[in-house]
Amino acid sequence: SFADYENEFDELVQAMPEDGLIVYNADDPGLVKLAHKSNISQASFGFDDAANFKIENIQYGREYTTIEVLNNFSKNVSAHLMGLTEDYKIQLPGKINVYNALAVIATLRTLGFSQDQIALELLSYQGVKRRFEVVGEKNGVIIVDDYAHHPTAVRETLEAARLKYFPQISNSQSSISKLWAVFEPHTFSRTKATLEYLVKAFDTADEVLISEIYPAREKASAATIKSEEVVERIKAENKTSNIRLVHNKQAALNILKAELKSGDVVVVMAVGDFNRLGYELKKSLG
């Protein structure tokens, strides 16, 4: 439950040494509450006015995301009075990566690193394997591979793709180019437990291919939910995307090869049988 999840963070905060530092997201009421229960030194970040490191502006671009940060933690009085911001650029797209970068900025600025030091490292950081990893571009089609296997990660990954590649176009507007989502649900128990949130995770996509559920450690004979149910529930919730079930990786490849057009973006989110689909798609196109 969420209470169990929150208790783990509470125990972590309470176990902090006296000379420790807690850096937290001020936009999350739960984290604010936990942080305020401790007397350990703290630095907060977010879009909220109360944050020590506050986002003032974001510009999402195809190559970089530019963020302006108001450093309320600094003792530079004149900078506060003038509302001076610190500028940073990151290669990774989406709001979730803005938060990640902001956490880094808040931590390192609090520890005494200079803006220039942090800006240089953030600018050169290309991310980690299978987190919005651009597999490549073939015949004008961009292929992205991601490890997303729960609703929040799916939603944030697709929103990041929309911001990066279609910044002026929503999926409710007429567009020649499409954002494709290929998702492999992970385990029957996780899929059933998170279905309420999963059905809302694909709103950003134009075309959605849902595979059979990957059982991982679970036995297919003990399945508590079927892929057909997942697809029907998503269809009922999502009125803007085209949702389809694919029974195997070859079926997904066949649809993609037949329907993809130059300018389309494909985001593959899988942890099981489909986890090489992006690479196989790149090889098979053209």
Side-chain angles (χ1 to χ4, degrees):
S1 69
F2 185 77
D4 293 328
Y5 186 71
E6 194 173 42
N7 287 338
E8 293 295 328
F9 278 90
D10 192 16
E11 289 181 16
L12 176 63
V13 168
Q14 298 308 317
M16 291 286 291
E18 291 184 1
D19 61 348
L21 172 66
I22 299 172
V23 183
Y24 67 94
N25 186 339
D27 296 336
D28 187 314
L31 292 178
V32 173
K33 180 181 176 181
L34 286 177
H36 286 179
K37 290 171 63 176
S38 174
N39 293 321
I40 302 298
S41 296
Q42 301 175 9
S44 61
F45 62 89
F47 292 75
D48 190 275
D49 287 335
N52 298 130
F53 295 85
K54 180 194 172 189
I55 289 290
E56 288 286 274
N57 187 38
I58 306 175
Q59 296 292 329
Y60 295 104
R62 197 176 180 93
E63 298 299 326
Y64 298 101
T65 299
T66 303
I67 55 179
E68 295 180 8
V69 180
L70 183 61
N71 182 351
N72 293 312
F73 195 87
S74 169
K75 295 180 174 62
N76 187 339
V77 178
S78 61
H80 294 320
L81 293 175
M82 296 176 66
L84 296 180
T85 59
E86 300 176 357
D87 295 336
Y88 300 92
K89 285 185 176 182
I90 57 175
Q91 296 187 42
L92 303 178
K95 190 174 181 179
I96 187 64
N97 283 307
V98 171
Y99 271 124
N100 288 339
L102 197 54
V104 171
I105 293 165
T107 302
L108 296 183
R109 289 294 275 146
T110 303
L111 294 177
F113 288 81
S114 71
Q115 176 189 349
D116 289 343
Q117 286 176 297
I118 301 168
L120 183 62
E121 296 300 329
L122 282 178
L123 182 63
S124 63
Y125 182 63
Q126 296 180 325
V128 297
K129 186 76 173 173
R130 302 214 68 212
R131 285 299 188 190
F132 211 94
E133 180 185 357
V134 180
V135 172
E137 182 174 347
K138 193 76 171 288
N139 297 341
V141 175
I142 296 172
I143 305 166
V144 177
D145 182 46
D146 199 279
Y147 184 71
H149 58 284
H150 61 82
T152 304
V154 171
R155 185 187 70 246
E156 295 290 347
T157 300
L158 293 175
E159 288 182 357
R162 176 66 63 180
L163 285 169
K164 182 177 178 69
Y165 297 113
F166 309 95
Q168 306 302 324
I169 304 171
S170 71
N171 62 324
S172 62
Q173 296 174 322
S174 176
S175 171
I176 297 175
S177 301
K178 292 182 177 181
L179 174 58
W180 289 72
V182 183
F183 178 65
E184 181 181 38
H186 183 249
T187 74
F188 303 109
S189 57
R190 182 198 302 271
T191 303
K192 185 174 182 179
T194 62
L195 186 58
E196 175 187 355
Y197 307 98
L198 186 63
V199 297
K200 302 174 183 178
F202 298 93
D203 293 353
T204 313
D206 300 298
E207 299 281 347
V208 180
L209 303 181
I210 305 291
S211 81
E212 297 285 355
I213 298 170
Y214 179 67
R217 63 187 179 277
E218 299 175 346
K219 294 182 178 180
S221 59
T224 54
I225 188 172
K226 295 183 177 181
S227 300
E228 288 82 0
E229 181 182 347
V230 176
V231 170
E232 290 307 311
R233 287 285 302 275
I234 297 174
K235 283 183 177 180
E237 183 72 28
N238 188 322
K239 304 302 182 183
T240 59
S241 308
N242 182 29
I243 320 291
R244 285 177 276 180
L245 174 66
V246 287
H247 293 289
N248 53 57
K249 186 166 56 176
Q250 189 59 51
L253 274 172
N254 291 343
I255 290 174
L256 292 169
K257 287 192 294 183
E259 298 184 23
L260 284 173
K261 294 180 174 59
S262 180
D264 286 358
V265 176
V266 182
V267 180
V268 179
M269 296 167 287
V271 296
D273 296 335
F274 275 59
N275 70 351
R276 295 292 299 174
L277 176 62
Y279 297 89
E280 293 178 24
L281 176 61
K282 180 185 175 183
K283 186 176 180 179
S284 64
L285 286 178

